[in-house]
Amino acid sequence: MQTQATLIALLHGPDAPGIVARTSGWIFENGGNILHADQHCDAEAGIFVQRIEWSPAAADLEAESARFSAFAAQLGMQVKIAPSTARPKVAVLVSKQGHAFHDLMQRWRAGEMPCSVAFVASNHTTWAEETAQYYHAPFHHIPVSSETKPAAEAALLDLLREHQIELIVLARYMQVLSADFLNRVNIPVINIHHSFLPAFAGAKPYHQAYSRGVKLIGATAHYATPVLDDGPIIHQAVTPISHRHHVDDLVRRGQDLEKLVLAQAVRWHLQNRVLAFHNKTVVFD
Amino acid sequence: MQTQATLIALLHGPDAPGIVARTSGWIFENGGNILHADQHCDAEAGIFVQRIEWSPAAADLEAESARFSAFAAQLGMQVKIAPSTARPKVAVLVSKQGHAFHDLMQRWRAGEMPCSVAFVASNHTTWAEETAQYYHAPFHHIPVSSETKPAAEAALLDLLREHQIELIVLARYMQVLSADFLNRVNIPVINIHHSFLPAFAGAKPYHQAYSRGVKLIGATAHYATPVLDDGPIIHQAVTPISHRHHVDDLVRRGQDLEKLVLAQAVRWHLQNRVLAFHNKTVVFD
Amino acid sequence: MQTQATLIALLHGPDAPGIVARTSGWIFENGGNILHADQHCDAEAGIFVQRIEWSPAAADLEAESARFSAFAAQLGMQVKIAPSTARPKVAVLVSKQGHAFHDLMQRWRAGEMPCSVAFVASNHTTWAEETAQYYHAPFHHIPVSSETKPAAEAALLDLLREHQIELIVLARYMQVLSADFLNRVNIPVINIHHSFLPAFAGAKPYHQAYSRGVKLIGATAHYATPVLDDGPIIHQAVTPISHRHHVDDLVRRGQDLEKLVLAQAVRWHLQNRVLAFHNKTVVFD
Amino acid sequence: MQTQATLIALLHGPDAPGIVARTSGWIFENGGNILHADQHCDAEAGIFVQRIEWSPAAADLEAESARFSAFAAQLGMQVKIAPSTARPKVAVLVSKQGHAFHDLMQRWRAGEMPCSVAFVASNHTTWAEETAQYYHAPFHHIPVSSETKPAAEAALLDLLREHQIELIVLARYMQVLSADFLNRVNIPVINIHHSFLPAFAGAKPYHQAYSRGVKLIGATAHYATPVLDDGPIIHQAVTPISHRHHVDDLVRRGQDLEKLVLAQAVRWHLQNRVLAFHNKTVVFD
């Protein structure tokens, strides 16, 4: 439908009167037309957050982006800005379980995910052939054992830098990334955890849920941080279960949640709709 | 929490570049601080819609409201504006079934509904005593038969005008208001229909749902218009059912939906979050 | 609809072949007609659970109940049996917050809850007058401080025994019942906790949820046990929230969940649909 | 987990006292152990329905099936019986849109669907290559125009019979199957309709939903009958939408519903959990 590229800016910084007037004023004065503008003020934290999308008069999107960023910086705002046509480079990490991986790749193939999958990496070779033949994406096998973990993470880091990756998606990657890696990687990492966090953090959440006798199971997509399963939550969903469901059933039902929640979180991130601060997120849906 | 009154404006009119910049600019120049601003552009209809809430510098809210309205009119915008402390006068209509009525009145009593219930009217006396003794609201019994309907509606219209009512809530009022009444009343009328409209419009929707064998039942809150069950939808919700549920069960489960959906729709309306045009609504949640 | 009383039995015991055949055979041989029969086998625990409802040929329901119980005991089953017309005596405990209490009492008054509310008790007098005048139920004020807690619990225990109470409902009763009280009371106690347990057990769950930045809030109805917020879960529900919702909003939205979840759990319990073992429940919905 | 094959019978017929006792008695007398038994009596229709699963003492499942069927016929019951290891032959029909098709095939490949996909047929060649190379299933291209429709349906009928197909799945097959075809095909046909039926039957349901301004969109899996979009409903689900969602967004969000609802309906059917009568279904979940 959309024939012309727009610009999408995500701003945040200390709240002050007049920011909405100033950003919208700047766009108007520069001949742009605002398509969407959504803002939020976290009164406790004193932080202003805005997502604004406009069709600029200027043909040179890069120059307009630079000028807007400079202007916003004067307002004390940090800015992330991208044209609607941007396709960030993504690395997908997967282990043996393929449901979330295939769902994501099918969506990508069908044009649902505005990104470029630069490569797939795995500690197993389970999906090597399909990645190459069916999704036509490079596949890197990076085996991990407790001894080789530092070396494996270093190799992964090299790959990420070489490909100038902007987002890592953990599509049920069953290795805990070290705090050191997460501190150094310096790009967002989206993980899908198979429970309604903070309930059932850690290993085997479906078994934990079954033991506790909960009546709903969930899935949580969050940015990975050095503290396991504790990063800012992007999206969550649940589905009802009953005593008739065994752990196997929880796993199968949960997999559908995992797919939907991860895909939604990644799509929102790619559309510049998610801003994380103070270990929480604002999602401009 | 909120100690100072704010102003809330709901605007709509023909879309044009710069409206966001102008409204936010006006507020900034007048010393106000925007707390929330949400806008939507219906590209097909070419209509711009905005809800904006600010804490004004001026102490005289009425004067500020008048000035803002005059300004917005220059932009071609229709404006509804009210201070956050406004308590619009509401008339509640009910018949024999009390679930939605009691739920609404309990919420009002508990401070959940920012309005003043000016009176309750009913074609039955079922809830007369409780309305007076428990909710301390005036109760008007207006019996309706096919012969007396025009006179009954005229009496209701007189009451509404006498009390300067700003909103009518049909809390399972089992009389169809005539097109003539709805054309003349000139204030919003919110109705709760006990199905997921447009499925099962008209009489006995739970029986219709049971016969069709649907797996979900629903409730719909909408503005009443001269065409039965066809007005702009404000809110809808559904709940799963199975073959184990008889019509009785659908009725009981559905009543919980009706209560929640009606209360939510009325609250949104009272908070100036709902704007209806082209037989649809925009809800700034 | 239902004109004749039926019998409802809830059985559980060690699994063995032929139990379904034997219980249904007994009812058939005694001229009864099974209306509903639902069973579950917890393979890990080796426990068989059944809910069976039949219309007996015998007019003397008490005698038939006794005979069935004796028969089931021979199969090694524990039995809870009651006619569909039974109205167990219930005590409702409440503190200052009235939403769950009023919802429950309105439902009881409207005939939705098959029980008799023998009395309401509270550590405050907030709802004394309304309980008497509006719900026509006895009200007992039992103040509780850290010093008087043992005496208060003893007084409550006396009341419960005097009235032969069969179920206690904690409708947002803000006192933690002591392990000693719970060990001695010997009847089921249903509590509503305002979070999706096991997340956010303990005090101020909405504040905990807000801090953690979850995208869904929940409510949990469970049987109270000596370990706080750890008893068998009967029912849970959640509702989505976003960054736009402050703690106040979580509280208000959560209250609707609390009402629905508590009412559903109490109704299921009263209809003999819930069986708890191994700190989990089977709910025959 | 399950190491030994069980038998699953789905019975229905005129209600009469003692059926539960007789079927469970027969199994017990023949040395079988009931794992699950679920029954329902439609009081209005006077129809008894039961799903019963047992592990038989006899090693010859075919013989036991035949003996049980003969016994149930004596009770006036129609029986469908199959071992848990059965893998019915399924034909999948698809057009150009691949989301529901790929989802189903991925699930089948991952072992989630207990069936054998005997072939895929389409009025387009869009998915020919992938069906062959990735899913390793035969693909039949059967073009359909208004002139060739009778011939195309005849060709399809031949294929279905040749392969002894037991279930047809319409995974967004965009051709209306003729009443004549449906009357002759004599096996169940599961269709996914992209709305919450009976709302928005017929063409372009997302456009209809958008025009009407509903706040939820849905998907419905049902058995196809000669009356378009009117057959017995197996499963339905909905998801919330708002004014921010254009038709494109409804389509994308709806596709996720379609995938989940179709997969669930097909799985239930394959597990012998669905019984249709009087244009409604009983689903033993």
Side-chain angles (χ1 to χ4, degrees):
Chain A
M1 314 286 133
Q2 191 178 283
T3 49
Q4 200 201 336
T6 58
L7 283 175
I8 301 166
L10 207 52
L11 305 95
H12 78 288
D15 191 25
I19 300 178
V20 174
R22 278 170 174 150
T23 55
S24 55
W26 188 93
I27 291 165
F28 182 52
E29 286 154 23
N30 285 274
N33 192 24
I34 294 175
L35 301 176
H36 301 286
D38 203 349
Q39 47 272 328
H40 174 66
C41 178
D42 186 318
E44 290 170 26
I47 287 176
F48 173 87
V49 188
Q50 187 177 42
R51 181 185 189 270
I52 194 159
E53 179 173 1
W54 71 97
S55 69
D60 185 342
L61 297 181
E62 214 165 312
E64 174 107 341
S65 297
R67 291 179 55 236
F68 182 84
S69 296
F71 162 76
Q74 289 169 19
L75 301 176
M77 294 285 131
Q78 288 183 261
V79 191
K80 191 182 165 198
I81 188 165
S84 57
T85 46
R87 294 291 173 269
K89 285 180 186 163
V90 172
V92 179
L93 273 63
V94 63
S95 292
K96 285 184 182 169
Q97 278 196 292
H99 58 280
F101 170 68
H102 285 299
D103 184 76
L104 200 73
M105 297 299 277
Q106 286 276 10
R107 289 175 191 272
W108 173 58
R109 225 175 56 119
E112 265 187 56
M113 312 304 281
C115 67
S116 152
V117 176
F119 68 83
V120 172
S122 179
N123 53 334
H124 297 281
T125 54
T126 319
W127 307 113
E129 204 177 305
E130 285 186 26
T131 299
Q133 295 187 1
Y134 190 54
Y135 301 122
H136 308 297
F139 180 91
H140 295 281
H141 179 216
I142 306 179
V144 182
S145 67
S146 45
E147 292 81 38
T148 65
K149 187 160 179 169
E153 289 193 345
L156 178 57
L157 216 47
D158 285 347
L159 269 175
L160 295 167
R161 285 177 183 161
E162 177 192 325
H163 287 272
Q164 298 182 288
I165 298 300
E166 294 161 81
L167 173 71
I168 299 171
V169 178
L170 307 179
R172 296 299 305 275
Y173 181 65
M174 303 305 278
Q175 293 291 323
V176 177
L177 294 169
S178 72
D180 180 58
F181 176 88
L182 287 166
N183 284 326
R184 291 170 62 195
V185 72
N186 218 18
I187 55 171
V189 178
I190 297 179
N191 182 43
I192 180 72
H193 183 77
H194 37 315
S195 85
F196 178 79
L197 288 174
F200 312 129
K204 290 196 171 283
Y206 292 125
H207 289 77
Q208 292 184 53
Y210 182 77
S211 297
R212 182 59 189 91
V214 289
K215 300 297 187 184
L216 298 165
I217 53 165
T220 303
H222 65 98
Y223 290 115
T225 58
V227 182
L228 184 67
D229 297 333
D230 187 55
I233 293 170
I234 306 169
H235 191 37
Q236 299 188 293
V238 297
T239 198
I241 54 162
S242 80
H243 61 274
R244 295 187 199 286
H245 298 102
H246 292 273
V247 173
D248 291 5
D249 301 305
L250 305 199
V251 169
R252 190 183 51 67
R253 294 199 160 213
Q255 289 181 348
D256 280 346
L257 286 178
E258 294 165 38
K259 291 187 284 188
L260 291 175
V261 168
L262 179 62
Q264 181 67 278
V266 172
R267 192 187 300 112
W268 278 336
H269 177 92
L270 293 170
Q271 294 172 337
N272 271 329
R273 296 186 180 279
V274 190
L275 204 142
F277 63 90
H278 290 200
N279 214 38
K280 296 164 76 166
T281 64
V282 165
V283 179
F284 292 115
D285 181 16
Chain B
M1 315 291 131
Q2 190 176 285
T3 50
Q4 202 202 335
T6 58
L7 283 175
I8 301 166
L10 207 53
L11 305 96
H12 77 288
D15 191 25
I19 300 178
V20 174
R22 279 171 173 148
T23 55
S24 56
W26 188 94
I27 291 166
F28 181 52
E29 286 154 24
N30 284 273
N33 191 24
I34 294 175
L35 300 176
H36 302 287
D38 203 349
Q39 47 273 328
H40 174 67
C41 179
D42 185 320
E44 291 171 25
I47 288 176
F48 174 87
V49 189
Q50 188 177 42
R51 182 185 188 269
I52 192 158
E53 179 172 0
W54 71 97
S55 69
D60 186 342
L61 297 181
E62 214 165 312
E64 173 107 342
S65 297
R67 291 178 56 236
F68 181 83
S69 296
F71 162 76
Q74 289 169 18
L75 301 175
M77 294 283 132
Q78 286 183 263
V79 191
K80 192 181 163 198
I81 186 165
S84 58
T85 48
R87 293 292 172 269
K89 286 180 184 163
V90 172
V92 179
L93 272 63
V94 64
S95 292
K96 285 183 180 170
Q97 278 195 292
H99 60 279
F101 170 68
H102 285 300
D103 184 76
L104 200 72
M105 298 299 276
Q106 288 275 11
R107 288 174 191 272
W108 174 56
R109 226 175 56 118
E112 264 187 57
M113 310 304 281
C115 68
S116 153
V117 176
F119 68 84
V120 172
S122 180
N123 54 333
H124 296 282
T125 55
T126 319
W127 306 112
E129 206 177 301
E130 285 185 26
T131 300
Q133 294 187 5
Y134 189 56
Y135 301 123
H136 309 296
F139 181 92
H140 295 282
H141 179 216
I142 306 180
V144 181
S145 68
S146 46
E147 293 82 37
T148 64
K149 187 159 179 171
E153 289 193 345
L156 179 57
L157 215 47
D158 285 347
L159 269 174
L160 294 167
R161 284 172 184 165
E162 179 191 323
H163 286 273
Q164 299 183 286
I165 298 300
E166 293 160 81
L167 173 71
I168 300 171
V169 178
L170 307 181
R172 294 299 306 274
Y173 181 65
M174 303 304 279
Q175 293 290 324
V176 176
L177 293 169
S178 72
D180 179 59
F181 176 89
L182 287 166
N183 283 327
R184 290 170 62 196
V185 71
N186 219 19
I187 54 171
V189 178
I190 296 179
N191 182 44
I192 179 73
H193 183 76
H194 38 315
S195 86
F196 177 79
L197 287 174
F200 313 130
K204 290 194 170 288
Y206 292 126
H207 289 77
Q208 293 184 54
Y210 182 75
S211 296
R212 181 61 187 91
V214 289
K215 301 298 187 185
L216 298 166
I217 54 165
T220 303
H222 64 99
Y223 290 115
T225 58
V227 182
L228 183 67
D229 297 335
D230 187 56
I233 292 169
I234 306 167
H235 191 38
Q236 301 189 291
V238 297
T239 199
I241 54 164
S242 80
H243 61 274
R244 297 188 198 286
H245 297 102
H246 292 272
V247 173
D248 292 7
D249 301 305
L250 305 200
V251 169
R252 188 183 53 65
R253 293 200 160 213
Q255 289 181 350
D256 281 346
L257 285 178
E258 295 166 37
K259 292 187 283 189
L260 292 175
V261 168
L262 180 62
Q264 181 66 279
V266 172
R267 191 186 301 113
W268 277 337
H269 177 92
L270 293 170
Q271 294 172 337
N272 271 330
R273 295 185 182 278
V274 190
L275 204 144
F277 63 90
H278 291 199
N279 213 39
K280 295 164 78 167
T281 63
V282 165
V283 178
F284 292 116
D285 181 18
Chain C
M1 312 289 132
Q2 191 176 285
T3 50
Q4 201 202 335
T6 58
L7 283 175
I8 301 166
L10 208 51
L11 304 95
H12 77 289
D15 191 26
I19 301 178
V20 174
R22 278 171 174 149
T23 55
S24 55
W26 188 93
I27 290 166
F28 181 51
E29 285 154 24
N30 283 272
N33 191 23
I34 293 174
L35 301 176
H36 301 286
D38 204 350
Q39 47 272 328
H40 175 66
C41 179
D42 186 319
E44 289 170 26
I47 287 176
F48 174 87
V49 189
Q50 188 178 42
R51 183 184 187 269
I52 193 159
E53 178 172 1
W54 71 98
S55 69
D60 186 342
L61 297 182
E62 214 165 311
E64 174 107 342
S65 296
R67 291 179 55 235
F68 181 83
S69 295
F71 162 76
Q74 289 169 17
L75 302 175
M77 294 284 132
Q78 286 183 264
V79 191
K80 192 181 163 197
I81 187 165
S84 57
T85 48
R87 292 293 172 268
K89 286 180 185 163
V90 172
V92 178
L93 272 63
V94 63
S95 292
K96 286 183 181 170
Q97 278 196 292
H99 59 279
F101 170 69
H102 286 299
D103 184 76
L104 200 73
M105 297 299 277
Q106 288 275 12
R107 288 175 191 272
W108 174 56
R109 224 175 59 117
E112 263 188 56
M113 310 305 283
C115 67
S116 152
V117 175
F119 69 83
V120 172
S122 180
N123 54 333
H124 296 282
T125 55
T126 319
W127 307 114
E129 206 177 301
E130 285 186 25
T131 299
Q133 294 187 4
Y134 190 55
Y135 300 123
H136 309 295
F139 181 92
H140 295 281
H141 179 216
I142 306 179
V144 182
S145 67
S146 46
E147 293 82 38
T148 65
K149 187 159 178 171
E153 289 194 345
L156 179 58
L157 215 47
D158 285 347
L159 269 174
L160 294 166
R161 284 172 183 166
E162 179 191 324
H163 287 273
Q164 299 181 288
I165 298 300
E166 294 160 82
L167 173 71
I168 299 172
V169 178
L170 307 180
R172 295 298 306 273
Y173 181 65
M174 303 305 279
Q175 293 290 325
V176 176
L177 294 169
S178 72
D180 180 58
F181 175 89
L182 287 166
N183 284 327
R184 289 170 62 195
V185 70
N186 218 17
I187 54 171
V189 179
I190 297 179
N191 183 44
I192 180 73
H193 183 77
H194 39 315
S195 86
F196 177 78
L197 286 174
F200 313 130
K204 291 195 170 286
Y206 292 126
H207 289 77
Q208 293 183 52
Y210 182 76
S211 297
R212 181 61 188 91
V214 288
K215 300 298 186 185
L216 298 166
I217 54 165
T220 303
H222 64 98
Y223 290 115
T225 58
V227 182
L228 184 67
D229 298 333
D230 187 56
I233 293 170
I234 306 169
H235 191 38
Q236 300 189 291
V238 297
T239 199
I241 54 163
S242 81
H243 61 275
R244 296 187 199 287
H245 298 102
H246 292 272
V247 174
D248 292 6
D249 301 304
L250 304 200
V251 169
R252 189 184 53 65
R253 293 200 160 212
Q255 288 181 350
D256 281 346
L257 285 180
E258 295 166 35
K259 291 188 283 189
L260 292 174
V261 168
L262 180 62
Q264 181 67 277
V266 172
R267 190 187 302 112
W268 277 336
H269 177 92
L270 292 170
Q271 294 172 338
N272 271 329
R273 294 185 183 279
V274 190
L275 205 143
F277 63 90
H278 291 200
N279 213 38
K280 295 164 77 167
T281 63
V282 165
V283 178
F284 292 115
D285 181 16
Chain D
M1 313 289 133
Q2 191 177 284
T3 49
Q4 200 201 338
T6 58
L7 283 175
I8 301 167
L10 206 52
L11 304 95
H12 77 288
D15 191 25
I19 301 177
V20 174
R22 278 173 174 147
T23 54
S24 56
W26 188 92
I27 291 165
F28 181 51
E29 286 155 22
N30 284 273
N33 192 23
I34 294 175
L35 299 177
H36 301 286
D38 203 349
Q39 48 272 327
H40 174 66
C41 177
D42 185 319
E44 291 171 25
I47 287 177
F48 173 87
V49 189
Q50 188 176 43
R51 181 185 188 270
I52 194 158
E53 179 172 1
W54 71 97
S55 70
D60 186 342
L61 296 181
E62 213 165 312
E64 174 106 342
S65 297
R67 290 179 56 236
F68 182 83
S69 296
F71 162 75
Q74 289 168 19
L75 300 176
M77 294 285 130
Q78 289 183 260
V79 191
K80 191 181 164 198
I81 189 165
S84 58
T85 47
R87 292 294 172 268
K89 285 179 186 163
V90 173
V92 179
L93 272 63
V94 64
S95 293
K96 284 183 183 170
Q97 279 195 292
H99 59 280
F101 170 69
H102 285 299
D103 184 76
L104 200 72
M105 296 300 276
Q106 287 275 12
R107 288 174 191 272
W108 174 57
R109 225 174 57 118
E112 265 188 56
M113 313 303 282
C115 67
S116 153
V117 175
F119 69 84
V120 172
S122 179
N123 53 334
H124 295 282
T125 54
T126 319
W127 307 114
E129 205 178 303
E130 285 186 27
T131 299
Q133 295 187 2
Y134 190 55
Y135 301 123
H136 308 296
F139 180 91
H140 295 281
H141 179 216
I142 306 180
V144 182
S145 67
S146 45
E147 293 81 39
T148 64
K149 188 160 178 169
E153 289 193 346
L156 179 57
L157 216 47
D158 285 346
L159 269 175
L160 294 167
R161 284 176 182 160
E162 178 192 324
H163 287 273
Q164 299 182 289
I165 298 300
E166 293 160 81
L167 172 71
I168 299 172
V169 178
L170 307 179
R172 295 300 305 275
Y173 180 65
M174 302 307 277
Q175 293 291 323
V176 176
L177 293 170
S178 71
D180 179 60
F181 176 89
L182 288 166
N183 284 326
R184 290 170 62 196
V185 71
N186 218 17
I187 55 170
V189 179
I190 297 180
N191 183 42
I192 180 73
H193 184 77
H194 38 315
S195 86
F196 177 78
L197 288 175
F200 313 129
K204 290 194 170 283
Y206 292 126
H207 289 77
Q208 293 183 52
Y210 182 77
S211 296
R212 181 61 189 92
V214 289
K215 300 298 186 185
L216 297 166
I217 53 165
T220 302
H222 65 97
Y223 290 115
T225 58
V227 183
L228 184 67
D229 296 335
D230 188 57
I233 293 170
I234 306 168
H235 191 38
Q236 299 188 292
V238 297
T239 198
I241 54 163
S242 81
H243 61 274
R244 294 186 201 286
H245 298 102
H246 293 273
V247 173
D248 292 5
D249 301 305
L250 305 200
V251 169
R252 189 184 51 66
R253 293 200 159 212
Q255 288 181 348
D256 281 346
L257 285 179
E258 294 165 37
K259 292 187 283 189
L260 291 175
V261 168
L262 179 62
Q264 181 66 279
V266 172
R267 192 187 300 112
W268 278 336
H269 177 91
L270 293 171
Q271 294 173 336
N272 271 330
R273 295 185 181 277
V274 189
L275 204 143
F277 62 91
H278 292 200
N279 214 38
K280 295 163 78 166
T281 63
V282 165
V283 178
F284 292 114
D285 181 15

